[in-house]
Amino acid sequence: MTGRLVHTGQAIVDLVMRVEALPPPGGDVLASDVRFTAGGGFNVMAAAARAGAAVVYAGEHGTGRFGDLVREALTAEGVELVQLPAAPDTGVCVVLVDAAGERTFITETGAEGTVTAEHLRRVRPRAGDLVYVTGYSLLRESNRDALLEWLPSVGDHRVLLDPGPLAADVAPDVWRAVLPRVDILSCNAAEAAMMSTVDGVGDVPVRVTRVGAEGCDVVENGVTVRVPGFPVDPVDTNGAGDAHAGVLAAELLRGEPLLVAAERANAAAAIAVRRYGPATSPSRAEVDELLVRQQELGHRG
């Protein structure tokens, strides 16, 4: 590895409920499975760590039982924590996963939404580090202002932006301040469509757009390449994009070429959607196994 993944987003707790279908307004459904697990930015960090990257969490974490759960999960993945626990407790996201594997989110913000410039000044990127920024951070006043002050100090370190599903809610002037510092944009097709109307997005050097089972489209130096995916029957799509982004970052930190990193990210996402839960990214060895099987199938064909 040439550096660390420095994650400036939010690790929270997911309350994951598996349902046959979402209830109608005023209705009710019974969940077939319910569990609390670390989620949000944790999913990306876990994916990168399992792919072999050193990972640093620059965000806040709370003082209550949810904060304890997140810290335990991060520690188990070998993630370095920069900040000390702070009130209030860590926030919670209610995740509803339907029979088709699609997920719906409702998020409540906790300590992770109280990052300040002082917090981020404790983070000093090293040579080769990759800084990870999420659109969720740009929606919270404290986190947004802290990032806008801190990002210029990142200098020549690479910055990967994951705009997230609420990208359209980020103010245009915030995007204008952030995008010139972004080297890699990683998002799904819906998020890419939202970002396409934002001034300056076309100037981001590398853009990786996930297109589900079809894989991802990689744009570099104005050239678009489709990196094929690995068709699978999904069990749960929750966390698939996080697995993709985390593995993409880890492989780039390892020094892999962009298209190789994208292929491995596609493989990781394909494995992740066959598992129930948000943080289901595989190990690097599991990705290797899938790539070998795929190659053998191609030779037989």
Side-chain angles (χ1 to χ4, degrees):
M1 288 288 176
T2 60
R4 310 167 301 169
L5 177 67
V6 179
H7 197 290
T8 64
Q10 297 81 44
I12 60 175
V13 168
D14 281 349
L15 168 56
V16 185
M17 308 181 75
R18 194 168 186 85
V19 297
E20 185 65 25
L22 297 181
D28 193 3
V29 296
L30 297 178
S32 60
D33 186 80
V34 179
R35 64 184 70 181
F36 278 103
T37 180
F42 169 78
N43 302 339
V44 174
M45 289 185 275
R50 293 170 192 174
V55 182
V56 177
Y57 178 42
E60 274 279 27
H61 38 99
T63 52
R65 63 188 180 107
F66 295 145
D68 291 342
L69 189 158
V70 164
R71 279 187 295 278
E72 181 179 350
L74 288 168
T75 300
E77 298 290 348
V79 175
E80 177 187 347
L81 302 177
V82 175
Q83 316 300 343
L84 295 174
D89 202 354
T90 290
V92 177
C93 178
V94 176
V95 184
L96 302 178
V97 183
D98 67 19
E102 289 298 328
R103 74 282 189 277
T104 302
F105 299 141
I106 305 173
T107 305
E108 176 264 346
T109 302
E112 72 285 350
T114 63
V115 172
T116 66
E118 181 181 355
H119 289 127
L120 292 183
R121 281 195 290 271
R122 298 170 187 164
V123 184
R124 293 179 174 84
R126 303 172 185 169
D129 284 356
L130 189 156
V131 176
Y132 194 100
V133 176
T134 84
Y136 285 110
S137 296
L138 304 177
L139 292 170
R140 298 177 171 96
E141 182 177 359
S142 179
N143 298 49
R144 179 190 65 229
D145 292 348
L147 272 172
L148 292 179
E149 178 178 324
W150 179 75
L151 275 176
S153 71
V154 169
D156 294 334
H157 293 89
R158 290 175 296 175
V159 174
L160 186 154
L161 170 67
D162 181 350
L166 300 179
D169 294 337
V170 176
D173 63 317
V174 175
W175 284 132
R176 283 194 292 270
V178 171
L179 284 174
R181 304 194 177 278
V182 174
D183 301 284
I184 306 161
L185 179 69
S186 171
C187 55
N188 63 31
E191 293 158 359
M194 285 187 283
M195 292 298 295
S196 66
T197 63
V198 176
D199 290 342
V201 72
D203 296 326
V204 175
V206 173
R207 302 188 296 281
V208 179
T209 302
R210 302 181 295 274
V211 288
E214 299 301 315
C216 64
D217 289 333
V218 176
V219 180
E220 184 177 24
N221 298 322
V223 178
T224 302
V225 176
R226 168 65 58 87
V227 181
F230 300 79
V232 295
D233 294 325
V235 173
D236 181 0
T237 61
N238 185 23
D242 293 332
H244 194 282
V247 171
L248 178 74
E251 296 300 332
L252 292 174
L253 284 166
R254 187 179 289 273
E256 293 288 1
L258 177 59
L259 295 183
V260 172
E263 180 185 37
R264 296 187 65 88
N266 287 348
I271 296 171
V273 299
R274 298 186 66 185
R275 300 169 174 174
Y276 180 45
T280 53
S281 189
S283 67
R284 197 165 195 273
E286 289 176 302
V287 170
D288 287 339
E289 291 173 6
L290 177 56
L291 292 172
V292 168
R293 289 199 303 272
Q294 195 74 7
Q295 187 177 35
E296 290 175 346
L297 288 172
H299 288 325
R300 291 170 190 161

